[in-house]
Amino acid sequence: MPLLPIHLLGSPVLREASAPVAEVNSETIPRDVYEFFREQNQQAFSQFEQQGVTAEQLSNIVDQQTRSSLLRRYVISQEAESLGLGVSDESLKSEFQATPGLQRDGRFDRELAERLISRTGLGPREYAAQHRRDLLQRNFTRFVAAPVRVSDAAVRDEIL
């Protein structure tokens, strides 16, 4: 697998890319991304074990939910980009550094950030890509939910 440069926390680091598990419009979903989201879903769905769902059923539910949510996540972010919505590298960095859990005494703490990324099981490059995807989805939601405003003059011009 190719080694990829990573720049989220400063100087580039080389990391091996993980094998893809799916492809969405020629964009691959890496195995480590799938595993990260699957683990989150596993925790979220663990309550079902107490309700008589077998381990095998739970595993199938978690797999299905993970695939479905990842496909939706990738499609929405691709659609956002096709509409001209984007997240600049500078915006990504400032949003990341403004994350409350990465602050110590009101300032970004690089050590906390490195620990957070390490705990995810994702490399810095993939973590940054997923954070960018989160911001794209947020921008897309705002774009879609924003009210359309049409002035009286525009209505008059269109009617007459």
PDB file of all heavy atoms in Angstrom, residues 46-70:
ATOM      1  N   SER A  46     -25.057  -1.571  21.932  1.00  0.00           N
ATOM      2  CA  SER A  46     -24.812  -2.591  22.956  1.00  0.00           C
ATOM      3  C   SER A  46     -26.019  -2.803  23.867  1.00  0.00           C
ATOM      4  O   SER A  46     -26.191  -3.876  24.431  1.00  0.00           O
ATOM      5  CB  SER A  46     -23.568  -2.241  23.785  1.00  0.00           C
ATOM      6  OG  SER A  46     -23.787  -1.046  24.504  1.00  0.00           O
ATOM      7  N   GLN A  47     -26.879  -1.813  23.989  1.00  0.00           N
ATOM      8  CA  GLN A  47     -28.081  -1.942  24.827  1.00  0.00           C
ATOM      9  C   GLN A  47     -29.006  -3.061  24.338  1.00  0.00           C
ATOM     10  O   GLN A  47     -29.767  -3.621  25.111  1.00  0.00           O
ATOM     11  CB  GLN A  47     -28.859  -0.628  24.839  1.00  0.00           C
ATOM     12  CG  GLN A  47     -29.433  -0.274  23.477  1.00  0.00           C
ATOM     13  CD  GLN A  47     -29.959   1.137  23.401  1.00  0.00           C
ATOM     14  OE1 GLN A  47     -29.690   1.941  24.271  1.00  0.00           O
ATOM     15  NE2 GLN A  47     -30.700   1.428  22.366  1.00  0.00           N
ATOM     16  N   PHE A  48     -28.925  -3.395  23.053  1.00  0.00           N
ATOM     17  CA  PHE A  48     -29.790  -4.431  22.501  1.00  0.00           C
ATOM     18  C   PHE A  48     -29.442  -5.822  23.024  1.00  0.00           C
ATOM     19  O   PHE A  48     -30.279  -6.711  23.012  1.00  0.00           O
ATOM     20  CB  PHE A  48     -29.769  -4.424  20.971  1.00  0.00           C
ATOM     21  CG  PHE A  48     -30.431  -3.210  20.386  1.00  0.00           C
ATOM     22  CD1 PHE A  48     -29.693  -2.296  19.652  1.00  0.00           C
ATOM     23  CD2 PHE A  48     -31.779  -2.977  20.576  1.00  0.00           C
ATOM     24  CE1 PHE A  48     -30.310  -1.179  19.110  1.00  0.00           C
ATOM     25  CE2 PHE A  48     -32.393  -1.852  20.038  1.00  0.00           C
ATOM     26  CZ  PHE A  48     -31.657  -0.951  19.314  1.00  0.00           C
ATOM     27  N   GLU A  49     -28.199  -6.010  23.476  1.00  0.00           N
ATOM     28  CA  GLU A  49     -27.812  -7.300  24.048  1.00  0.00           C
ATOM     29  C   GLU A  49     -28.652  -7.613  25.276  1.00  0.00           C
ATOM     30  O   GLU A  49     -28.969  -8.758  25.534  1.00  0.00           O
ATOM     31  CB  GLU A  49     -26.321  -7.303  24.407  1.00  0.00           C
ATOM     32  CG  GLU A  49     -25.427  -7.427  23.200  1.00  0.00           C
ATOM     33  CD  GLU A  49     -23.961  -7.436  23.570  1.00  0.00           C
ATOM     34  OE1 GLU A  49     -23.528  -6.560  24.331  1.00  0.00           O
ATOM     35  OE2 GLU A  49     -23.252  -8.325  23.081  1.00  0.00           O
ATOM     36  N   GLN A  50     -29.020  -6.582  26.004  1.00  0.00           N
ATOM     37  CA  GLN A  50     -29.829  -6.761  27.211  1.00  0.00           C
ATOM     38  C   GLN A  50     -31.290  -7.039  26.872  1.00  0.00           C
ATOM     39  O   GLN A  50     -32.067  -7.397  27.738  1.00  0.00           O
ATOM     40  CB  GLN A  50     -29.733  -5.519  28.099  1.00  0.00           C
ATOM     41  CG  GLN A  50     -28.317  -5.229  28.549  1.00  0.00           C
ATOM     42  CD  GLN A  50     -28.193  -3.825  29.134  1.00  0.00           C
ATOM     43  OE1 GLN A  50     -29.127  -3.062  29.163  1.00  0.00           O
ATOM     44  NE2 GLN A  50     -26.986  -3.519  29.613  1.00  0.00           N
ATOM     45  N   GLN A  51     -31.656  -6.868  25.612  1.00  0.00           N
ATOM     46  CA  GLN A  51     -33.034  -7.063  25.194  1.00  0.00           C
ATOM     47  C   GLN A  51     -33.215  -8.373  24.432  1.00  0.00           C
ATOM     48  O   GLN A  51     -34.174  -8.535  23.680  1.00  0.00           O
ATOM     49  CB  GLN A  51     -33.499  -5.883  24.345  1.00  0.00           C
ATOM     50  CG  GLN A  51     -33.479  -4.576  25.107  1.00  0.00           C
ATOM     51  CD  GLN A  51     -33.814  -3.379  24.231  1.00  0.00           C
ATOM     52  OE1 GLN A  51     -34.151  -3.519  23.067  1.00  0.00           O
ATOM     53  NE2 GLN A  51     -33.714  -2.195  24.800  1.00  0.00           N
ATOM     54  N   GLY A  52     -32.301  -9.296  24.590  1.00  0.00           N
ATOM     55  CA  GLY A  52     -32.448 -10.610  23.990  1.00  0.00           C
ATOM     56  C   GLY A  52     -31.912 -10.766  22.585  1.00  0.00           C
ATOM     57  O   GLY A  52     -32.120 -11.791  21.951  1.00  0.00           O
ATOM     58  N   VAL A  53     -31.215  -9.777  22.061  1.00  0.00           N
ATOM     59  CA  VAL A  53     -30.612  -9.884  20.735  1.00  0.00           C
ATOM     60  C   VAL A  53     -29.318 -10.678  20.879  1.00  0.00           C
ATOM     61  O   VAL A  53     -28.502 -10.403  21.752  1.00  0.00           O
ATOM     62  CB  VAL A  53     -30.330  -8.479  20.146  1.00  0.00           C
ATOM     63  CG1 VAL A  53     -29.598  -8.576  18.823  1.00  0.00           C
ATOM     64  CG2 VAL A  53     -31.630  -7.706  19.994  1.00  0.00           C
ATOM     65  N   THR A  54     -29.158 -11.681  20.020  1.00  0.00           N
ATOM     66  CA  THR A  54     -27.954 -12.502  20.096  1.00  0.00           C
ATOM     67  C   THR A  54     -26.739 -11.713  19.618  1.00  0.00           C
ATOM     68  O   THR A  54     -26.876 -10.708  18.913  1.00  0.00           O
ATOM     69  CB  THR A  54     -28.085 -13.775  19.229  1.00  0.00           C
ATOM     70  OG1 THR A  54     -28.116 -13.387  17.848  1.00  0.00           O
ATOM     71  CG2 THR A  54     -29.326 -14.575  19.593  1.00  0.00           C
ATOM     72  N   ALA A  55     -25.569 -12.201  19.974  1.00  0.00           N
ATOM     73  CA  ALA A  55     -24.325 -11.544  19.553  1.00  0.00           C
ATOM     74  C   ALA A  55     -24.227 -11.508  18.032  1.00  0.00           C
ATOM     75  O   ALA A  55     -23.783 -10.511  17.451  1.00  0.00           O
ATOM     76  CB  ALA A  55     -23.122 -12.263  20.155  1.00  0.00           C
ATOM     77  N   GLU A  56     -24.655 -12.589  17.373  1.00  0.00           N
ATOM     78  CA  GLU A  56     -24.605 -12.633  15.909  1.00  0.00           C
ATOM     79  C   GLU A  56     -25.576 -11.621  15.294  1.00  0.00           C
ATOM     80  O   GLU A  56     -25.228 -10.909  14.350  1.00  0.00           O
ATOM     81  CB  GLU A  56     -24.938 -14.031  15.401  1.00  0.00           C
ATOM     82  CG  GLU A  56     -24.829 -14.156  13.897  1.00  0.00           C
ATOM     83  CD  GLU A  56     -25.152 -15.559  13.399  1.00  0.00           C
ATOM     84  OE1 GLU A  56     -25.234 -16.497  14.214  1.00  0.00           O
ATOM     85  OE2 GLU A  56     -25.320 -15.691  12.179  1.00  0.00           O
ATOM     86  N   GLN A  57     -26.780 -11.531  15.840  1.00  0.00           N
ATOM     87  CA  GLN A  57     -27.755 -10.560  15.344  1.00  0.00           C
ATOM     88  C   GLN A  57     -27.239  -9.140  15.547  1.00  0.00           C
ATOM     89  O   GLN A  57     -27.351  -8.300  14.661  1.00  0.00           O
ATOM     90  CB  GLN A  57     -29.105 -10.733  16.061  1.00  0.00           C
ATOM     91  CG  GLN A  57     -29.854 -11.978  15.691  1.00  0.00           C
ATOM     92  CD  GLN A  57     -31.064 -12.202  16.593  1.00  0.00           C
ATOM     93  OE1 GLN A  57     -31.031 -11.934  17.797  1.00  0.00           O
ATOM     94  NE2 GLN A  57     -32.143 -12.708  15.993  1.00  0.00           N
ATOM     95  N   LEU A  58     -26.680  -8.899  16.730  1.00  0.00           N
ATOM     96  CA  LEU A  58     -26.141  -7.580  17.018  1.00  0.00           C
ATOM     97  C   LEU A  58     -25.018  -7.223  16.058  1.00  0.00           C
ATOM     98  O   LEU A  58     -24.959  -6.108  15.537  1.00  0.00           O
ATOM     99  CB  LEU A  58     -25.651  -7.496  18.465  1.00  0.00           C
ATOM    100  CG  LEU A  58     -25.078  -6.162  18.899  1.00  0.00           C
ATOM    101  CD1 LEU A  58     -26.137  -5.061  18.794  1.00  0.00           C
ATOM    102  CD2 LEU A  58     -24.533  -6.241  20.307  1.00  0.00           C
ATOM    103  N   SER A  59     -24.150  -8.176  15.794  1.00  0.00           N
ATOM    104  CA  SER A  59     -23.050  -7.947  14.871  1.00  0.00           C
ATOM    105  C   SER A  59     -23.576  -7.597  13.480  1.00  0.00           C
ATOM    106  O   SER A  59     -23.059  -6.674  12.826  1.00  0.00           O
ATOM    107  CB  SER A  59     -22.156  -9.183  14.805  1.00  0.00           C
ATOM    108  OG  SER A  59     -21.089  -8.969  13.913  1.00  0.00           O
ATOM    109  N   ASN A  60     -24.602  -8.303  13.034  1.00  0.00           N
ATOM    110  CA  ASN A  60     -25.202  -8.013  11.726  1.00  0.00           C
ATOM    111  C   ASN A  60     -25.833  -6.623  11.698  1.00  0.00           C
ATOM    112  O   ASN A  60     -25.707  -5.899  10.714  1.00  0.00           O
ATOM    113  CB  ASN A  60     -26.236  -9.073  11.354  1.00  0.00           C
ATOM    114  CG  ASN A  60     -25.614 -10.408  11.010  1.00  0.00           C
ATOM    115  OD1 ASN A  60     -24.451 -10.487  10.626  1.00  0.00           O
ATOM    116  ND2 ASN A  60     -26.378 -11.471  11.185  1.00  0.00           N
ATOM    117  N   ILE A  61     -26.515  -6.255  12.776  1.00  0.00           N
ATOM    118  CA  ILE A  61     -27.137  -4.925  12.868  1.00  0.00           C
ATOM    119  C   ILE A  61     -26.066  -3.846  12.815  1.00  0.00           C
ATOM    120  O   ILE A  61     -26.197  -2.860  12.089  1.00  0.00           O
ATOM    121  CB  ILE A  61     -27.976  -4.790  14.159  1.00  0.00           C
ATOM    122  CG1 ILE A  61     -29.216  -5.687  14.081  1.00  0.00           C
ATOM    123  CG2 ILE A  61     -28.371  -3.342  14.417  1.00  0.00           C
ATOM    124  CD1 ILE A  61     -29.942  -5.845  15.418  1.00  0.00           C
ATOM    125  N   VAL A  62     -25.011  -4.030  13.575  1.00  0.00           N
ATOM    126  CA  VAL A  62     -23.930  -3.045  13.626  1.00  0.00           C
ATOM    127  C   VAL A  62     -23.250  -2.926  12.261  1.00  0.00           C
ATOM    128  O   VAL A  62     -22.991  -1.821  11.788  1.00  0.00           O
ATOM    129  CB  VAL A  62     -22.918  -3.395  14.740  1.00  0.00           C
ATOM    130  CG1 VAL A  62     -21.670  -2.540  14.644  1.00  0.00           C
ATOM    131  CG2 VAL A  62     -23.569  -3.249  16.106  1.00  0.00           C
ATOM    132  N   ASP A  63     -22.989  -4.063  11.614  1.00  0.00           N
ATOM    133  CA  ASP A  63     -22.374  -4.032  10.280  1.00  0.00           C
ATOM    134  C   ASP A  63     -23.267  -3.285   9.294  1.00  0.00           C
ATOM    135  O   ASP A  63     -22.796  -2.433   8.539  1.00  0.00           O
ATOM    136  CB  ASP A  63     -22.119  -5.449   9.759  1.00  0.00           C
ATOM    137  CG  ASP A  63     -20.938  -6.123  10.419  1.00  0.00           C
ATOM    138  OD1 ASP A  63     -20.071  -5.415  10.983  1.00  0.00           O
ATOM    139  OD2 ASP A  63     -20.876  -7.364  10.388  1.00  0.00           O
ATOM    140  N   GLN A  64     -24.551  -3.613   9.300  1.00  0.00           N
ATOM    141  CA  GLN A  64     -25.487  -2.974   8.373  1.00  0.00           C
ATOM    142  C   GLN A  64     -25.587  -1.474   8.639  1.00  0.00           C
ATOM    143  O   GLN A  64     -25.554  -0.660   7.709  1.00  0.00           O
ATOM    144  CB  GLN A  64     -26.867  -3.621   8.503  1.00  0.00           C
ATOM    145  CG  GLN A  64     -27.865  -3.091   7.515  1.00  0.00           C
ATOM    146  CD  GLN A  64     -29.215  -3.796   7.645  1.00  0.00           C
ATOM    147  OE1 GLN A  64     -29.522  -4.410   8.659  1.00  0.00           O
ATOM    148  NE2 GLN A  64     -30.014  -3.688   6.606  1.00  0.00           N
ATOM    149  N   GLN A  65     -25.696  -1.088   9.895  1.00  0.00           N
ATOM    150  CA  GLN A  65     -25.785   0.331  10.243  1.00  0.00           C
ATOM    151  C   GLN A  65     -24.508   1.069   9.864  1.00  0.00           C
ATOM    152  O   GLN A  65     -24.551   2.189   9.360  1.00  0.00           O
ATOM    153  CB  GLN A  65     -26.073   0.497  11.742  1.00  0.00           C
ATOM    154  CG  GLN A  65     -26.089   1.921  12.216  1.00  0.00           C
ATOM    155  CD  GLN A  65     -27.148   2.770  11.533  1.00  0.00           C
ATOM    156  OE1 GLN A  65     -28.211   2.290  11.179  1.00  0.00           O
ATOM    157  NE2 GLN A  65     -26.858   4.039  11.333  1.00  0.00           N
ATOM    158  N   THR A  66     -23.373   0.449  10.092  1.00  0.00           N
ATOM    159  CA  THR A  66     -22.091   1.082   9.767  1.00  0.00           C
ATOM    160  C   THR A  66     -21.967   1.297   8.262  1.00  0.00           C
ATOM    161  O   THR A  66     -21.628   2.403   7.821  1.00  0.00           O
ATOM    162  CB  THR A  66     -20.920   0.226  10.289  1.00  0.00           C
ATOM    163  OG1 THR A  66     -21.065   0.047  11.701  1.00  0.00           O
ATOM    164  CG2 THR A  66     -19.585   0.886   9.994  1.00  0.00           C
ATOM    165  N   ARG A  67     -22.261   0.278   7.485  1.00  0.00           N
ATOM    166  CA  ARG A  67     -22.199   0.424   6.022  1.00  0.00           C
ATOM    167  C   ARG A  67     -23.147   1.516   5.545  1.00  0.00           C
ATOM    168  O   ARG A  67     -22.769   2.397   4.765  1.00  0.00           O
ATOM    169  CB  ARG A  67     -22.537  -0.895   5.332  1.00  0.00           C
ATOM    170  CG  ARG A  67     -21.391  -1.875   5.264  1.00  0.00           C
ATOM    171  CD  ARG A  67     -21.697  -3.054   4.348  1.00  0.00           C
ATOM    172  NE  ARG A  67     -22.871  -3.808   4.760  1.00  0.00           N
ATOM    173  CZ  ARG A  67     -22.861  -4.795   5.662  1.00  0.00           C
ATOM    174  NH1 ARG A  67     -21.732  -5.139   6.227  1.00  0.00           N
ATOM    175  NH2 ARG A  67     -23.963  -5.438   5.974  1.00  0.00           N
ATOM    176  N   SER A  68     -24.375   1.463   6.040  1.00  0.00           N
ATOM    177  CA  SER A  68     -25.393   2.426   5.615  1.00  0.00           C
ATOM    178  C   SER A  68     -24.995   3.855   5.972  1.00  0.00           C
ATOM    179  O   SER A  68     -25.073   4.762   5.145  1.00  0.00           O
ATOM    180  CB  SER A  68     -26.726   2.065   6.266  1.00  0.00           C
ATOM    181  OG  SER A  68     -27.700   3.010   5.966  1.00  0.00           O
ATOM    182  N   SER A  69     -24.548   4.066   7.206  1.00  0.00           N
ATOM    183  CA  SER A  69     -24.202   5.427   7.627  1.00  0.00           C
ATOM    184  C   SER A  69     -22.960   5.936   6.902  1.00  0.00           C
ATOM    185  O   SER A  69     -22.881   7.118   6.558  1.00  0.00           O
ATOM    186  CB  SER A  69     -24.026   5.506   9.144  1.00  0.00           C
ATOM    187  OG  SER A  69     -22.951   4.719   9.579  1.00  0.00           O
ATOM    188  N   LEU A  70     -21.998   5.062   6.635  1.00  0.00           N
ATOM    189  CA  LEU A  70     -20.806   5.493   5.896  1.00  0.00           C
ATOM    190  C   LEU A  70     -21.138   5.847   4.459  1.00  0.00           C
ATOM    191  O   LEU A  70     -20.648   6.853   3.935  1.00  0.00           O
ATOM    192  CB  LEU A  70     -19.719   4.416   5.936  1.00  0.00           C
ATOM    193  CG  LEU A  70     -18.846   4.408   7.174  1.00  0.00           C
ATOM    194  CD1 LEU A  70     -17.931   3.191   7.176  1.00  0.00           C
ATOM    195  CD2 LEU A  70     -18.044   5.684   7.295  1.00  0.00           C
TER     196      LEU A  70
END
